Amino acid sequence: RVRKDDEAQAAKAAELNRWAAEQARQRDEFDRQRGIAAAGVGATGRSSAAIELLKKRSTQKAVKSKETNTRAEAVARLDERLRAAFHYLSEFARELNTAHPESERPYGLMYMSEATSAVLSDGFTDYRTIEVDGKPRYGHVTFRFKITSQEPVSIQLQGAEIERFKERLDALGIKFKYSGRMTDLTGATKATFSASGPFPCKATIRGDYEDMFFVVELENVRRYGMHRAIFALDDFTHDVLDEFGTYVLGADDTFEKHLEND
């Protein structure tokens, strides 16, 4: 009986040893397969195209997500700067309408004439929104005002320019006086116009949501005609708005450096 018990114990120990060895072999095989999978190598020793494709798409998705976040941040900043410009110019217009300031520098008018000591009035600020990436954003901000010359400005014209100038003044709603005469030598008609205004002026700030920059378009602001300046996203600051404000008032010409050459 003792011998039979010893044989049974020996058989049980042998079975446990075989089970332990099989478990160890399976663990080793699992670790080996996991190492192969991590390296992207198949049973044939070649790179796994499917795994490499998954890795590539995962990287592309991460890059695209980063680009999306970067664009969203830029769009938000551009919109925020346009909103800030609207609030600044709205306050500027309110103060202008109260003070009716006199420009410290001349305002250029048509045909190379100038209005000295021009009085600024009728300030008005507006904005328009556009849809960007499914959200409403500020598209552009407009600031309008008028100048009136304290002394009538005289402009002398001749020939066909006389009628065109009259039409232009009528379209702008500017009151004027003029006297004309026929010359003895050439037969050309000459006329002298006298007008004091008010002459309309306008500034428009546009946001480009594709390339992320600002365009400032000026019409008859200090200089007659259309002029513009372009600002990168980070360059259109509160200081630039202040430079524009003092430029409108004729107190400073710093903003001139931003304007493109004619």
Side-chain angles (χ1 to χ4, degrees):
R1 184 179 58 79
V2 172
R3 186 170 58 251
K4 288 181 179 179
D5 289 342
D6 289 343
E7 289 175 353
Q9 290 291 335
K12 187 175 182 180
E15 181 63 27
L16 287 173
N17 289 336
R18 285 194 298 272
W19 181 84
E22 179 61 21
Q23 292 297 310
R25 187 190 66 76
Q26 290 181 6
R27 284 196 300 271
D28 291 341
E29 178 63 18
F30 177 78
D31 290 340
R32 188 180 71 83
Q33 292 296 334
R34 186 172 60 179
I36 291 173
V41 179
T44 60
R46 295 179 299 178
S47 297
S48 171
I51 292 176
E52 290 300 321
L53 182 59
L54 286 172
K55 289 181 178 179
K56 182 178 180 181
R57 290 186 177 178
S58 178
T59 302
Q60 290 174 340
K61 186 176 181 180
V63 171
K64 186 176 180 180
S65 177
K66 183 178 180 181
E67 291 176 348
T68 300
N69 291 337
T70 301
R71 170 173 168 77
E73 291 172 1
V75 166
R77 288 168 56 202
L78 195 150
D79 177 62
E80 180 183 353
R81 292 307 303 151
L82 282 175
R83 290 173 185 270
F86 172 73
H87 291 300
Y88 176 92
L89 293 173
S90 294
E91 183 178 358
F92 185 86
R94 286 194 297 269
E95 295 298 328
L96 183 149
N97 292 339
T98 300
H100 291 122
E102 181 180 311
S103 175
E104 298 178 24
R105 288 174 170 81
Y107 259 77
L109 301 177
M110 294 168 277
Y111 293 99
M112 305 303 290
S113 57
E114 288 185 339
T116 58
S117 302
V119 176
L120 283 63
S121 64
D122 299 310
F124 176 75
T125 310
D126 194 10
Y127 71 92
R128 291 291 182 273
T129 60
I130 59 175
E131 186 173 301
V132 181
D133 299 336
K135 294 183 179 181
R137 303 288 188 179
Y138 270 45
H140 70 264
V141 175
T142 303
F143 170 58
R144 302 173 185 270
F145 64 101
K146 295 180 180 179
I147 62 164
T148 302
S149 178
Q150 297 189 53
E151 295 292 335
V153 178
S154 295
I155 301 174
Q156 291 186 338
L157 299 173
Q158 66 178 21
E161 290 293 332
I162 297 173
E163 201 59 35
R164 285 197 289 266
F165 190 53
K166 286 173 62 178
E167 292 175 357
R168 176 66 172 162
L169 293 177
D170 287 336
L172 294 174
I174 299 173
K175 297 180 180 180
F176 62 91
K177 296 179 180 180
Y178 84 102
S179 59
R181 63 184 177 84
M182 186 79 72
T183 62
D184 295 333
L185 297 178
T186 63
T189 302
K190 291 186 177 182
T192 299
F193 288 80
S194 178
S196 57
F199 299 92
C201 307
K202 183 174 73 169
T204 305
I205 305 173
R206 303 184 186 278
D208 188 314
Y209 285 93
E210 290 299 322
D211 298 319
M212 300 302 165
F213 62 85
F214 299 90
V215 178
V216 179
E217 299 171 340
L218 305 184
E219 184 176 354
N220 305 332
V221 177
R222 290 285 306 280
R223 295 192 293 176
Y224 179 71
M226 296 290 296
H227 306 279
R228 75 172 191 167
I230 297 178
F231 296 92
L233 180 58
D234 293 331
D235 294 338
F236 192 67
T237 63
H238 181 81
D239 289 340
V240 169
L241 286 172
D242 251 355
E243 289 176 1
F244 172 73
T246 55
Y247 182 69
V248 169
L249 296 174
D252 192 290
D253 287 337
T254 304
F255 193 79
E256 285 271 2
K257 67 184 179 183
H258 300 298
L259 297 176
E260 294 180 344
N261 294 327
D262 295 339

